[in-house]
Amino acid sequence: MAWLARRTTTPALLALVTVGWFAAILAVGVLCGDLLRLAERPEGSTSFDSSITTWVVGHRTGALTTLARVLSAIGSQKILLPVAGVTALLLVGRRRLLLAGMLVAGWGGALLLYNLVKHFVHRPRPPAAIWLMKVTSTSFPSGHATQSLATFVALAFVVAALAASAGRAAKGAALVLAVAIGWSRVYLGVHWTTDVIAGWLIGAAWIAIVLWGSRIATLLEHRRGDEGTVQR
């Protein structure tokens, strides 16, 4: 990445490299989904998935079900869209354009990635008999796991940029929340565990690229400012 960073010298090249990484993550996600089929049973599970889901369903309680529903809602677009959108608008109002762009790219890219992977993989959901909520799309990867990790980590880096002392706590909270949201999807019976793990990995890979791109964009902006100062 350091080698690539030294050669990413213009905003256009940065955009091209970012699109290339997006395509690479998409390709790996689809490939993993296809390879997973080799270990799947007819209903779409693996022995690993089935054992975890069976144990989780057998240990459901009223309190855990309520918690899982709340966590699942937090990881949905009904919450993430307005949170990311309002935060981005506030950052634009404060002229923190790079931070706003990082947040929107983290959220929007994760959303697009998991939808595209779902489109190509077509893995079936767990049996409807164990669902605790209604779902419609295919199973791989978990959209909640993908988008919650990418979005909450992006928000944590926004917090760190605005209040450095709170950065570590915000990053820790983002990871804990993403893990809890992933757990909720397995608990609610609407995802296999491997769907959630794939979602976390896709979200982590994408937000890592977005944060890398944000750092490069900051360096390019400083370099442009320095060149303007020299010319004057």
Side-chain angles (χ1 to χ4, degrees):
M1 294 295 282
W3 174 87
L4 188 57
R6 289 193 297 270
R7 286 158 178 78
T8 306
T9 55
T10 66
L13 188 55
L14 175 59
L16 182 62
V17 169
T18 303
V19 170
W21 279 113
F22 180 95
I25 296 170
L26 173 60
V28 171
V30 172
L31 177 61
C32 289
D34 286 340
L35 290 175
L36 194 58
R37 291 176 184 170
L38 300 176
E40 287 177 1
R41 298 169 176 175
E43 83 281 8
S45 73
T46 65
S47 58
F48 172 74
D49 289 313
S50 181
S51 61
I52 293 177
T53 294
T54 299
W55 188 89
V56 169
V57 170
H59 290 79
R60 284 171 171 168
T61 67
L64 285 176
T65 298
T66 299
L67 176 61
R69 290 183 185 278
V70 170
L71 289 168
S72 183
I74 291 172
S76 71
Q77 284 302 320
K78 292 180 180 179
I79 299 296
L80 295 181
L81 173 58
V83 169
V86 170
T87 304
L89 288 174
L90 291 174
L91 290 169
V92 170
R94 297 184 60 174
R95 296 186 176 277
R96 303 299 297 267
L97 301 184
L98 288 179
L99 275 180
M102 180 271 291
L103 176 56
V104 171
W107 164 78
L111 177 66
L112 184 57
L113 271 170
Y114 81 71
N115 275 299
L116 287 172
V117 175
K118 281 177 179 287
H119 174 76
F120 289 113
V121 174
H122 299 294
R123 189 186 195 188
R125 297 268 185 176
I130 66 169
W131 294 0
L132 294 182
M133 64 185 303
K134 185 178 179 180
V135 288
T136 55
S137 64
T138 54
S139 196
F140 184 94
S142 165
H144 279 64
T146 308
Q147 67 190 8
S148 64
L149 190 145
T151 305
F152 286 127
V153 169
L155 286 167
F157 273 83
V158 169
V159 171
L162 299 178
S165 61
R168 181 173 297 181
K171 293 171 186 176
L175 293 177
V176 169
L177 193 54
V179 169
I181 289 169
W183 162 82
S184 76
R185 303 302 285 172
V186 175
Y187 180 93
L188 294 170
V190 294
H191 274 296
W192 302 114
T193 301
T194 45
D195 298 330
V196 171
I197 293 172
W200 285 333
L201 293 175
I202 291 171
W206 175 242
I207 196 59
I209 295 302
V210 169
L211 293 171
W212 174 83
S214 180
R215 288 194 293 271
I216 300 301
T218 301
L219 291 174
L220 292 177
E221 185 177 70
H222 290 164
R223 187 181 305 166
R224 188 166 58 247
D226 292 342
E227 290 174 352
T229 301
V230 171
Q231 290 176 359
R232 287 196 293 271

